[in-house]
Amino acid sequence: MTGDTVIFFVGRRWGKSLLNVAPFQWIFQPEKIAMAENFINTKGEKFLFILRFLPLIRTPLFFAAGSLRVKPRTFYIMDATATLIYLPALMGASFYASENIDQVVATLKKFQFGLLGLVVLVAIYFTYQRSRKSREKGTLLA
């Protein structure tokens, strides 16, 4: 929770001013920021609760929550509540996996080529979508 709190308060302190810096102002247009603020105001508590369970995007989204001025009390309550669920579940899964490591490795080996195929298919799909959008705009794929 300490890392989440630091990111949240960095976003709260400097998040809005970063939107005026060149790369960010191109990405985050005012209408999208307004949509995000509306979302946070209506569903902010549920959003913060669910963030705990999304490890790859949790950090930038906690930064965004701080930037969008979520109340610190709301942040702490939702993050702590989710942590009380997430941490024991993670520890239990880790304990189970360590006790049955041979079975876990055997199961992963069965699915490794399927997962690799899925990753390749997703990469092909996104490459196709990007090239299609580029052709629609009349630009070359960068």
Side-chain angles (χ1 to χ4, degrees), residues 7-8 11 40 47 58-70:
I7 293 298
F8 176 79
I40 284 289
F47 174 71
R58 185 172 76 203
T59 301
L61 291 177
F62 277 141
F63 180 85
S67 300
L68 295 172
R69 296 299 202 201
V70 169

Side-chain angles (χ1 to χ4, degrees), residues 1-6 52 58 75-77 79-81 83-84:
M1 279 187 58
T2 303
D4 297 341
T5 301
V6 169
R52 168 52 80 174
R58 185 172 76 203
F75 166 76
Y76 284 124
I77 290 171
D79 196 34
T81 304
T83 299
L84 289 173

Side-chain angles (χ1 to χ4, degrees), residues 86-117:
Y86 178 75
L87 199 56
L90 185 64
M91 297 304 285
S94 298
F95 180 77
Y96 174 78
S98 67
E99 290 288 316
N100 302 297
I101 193 68
D102 295 331
Q103 184 180 357
V104 170
V105 169
T107 303
L108 288 175
K109 282 185 178 181
K110 287 180 186 177
F111 294 106
Q112 70 184 355
F113 292 113
L115 290 172
L116 178 62

Side-chain angles (χ1 to χ4, degrees), residues 121-142:
L121 287 174
V122 168
I124 290 169
Y125 172 77
F126 283 114
T127 303
Y128 171 75
Q129 291 294 341
R130 185 173 176 196
S131 67
R132 193 183 93 219
K133 286 181 183 179
S134 295
R135 278 183 269 138
E136 288 174 1
K137 290 182 179 180
T139 60
L140 294 175
L141 185 61

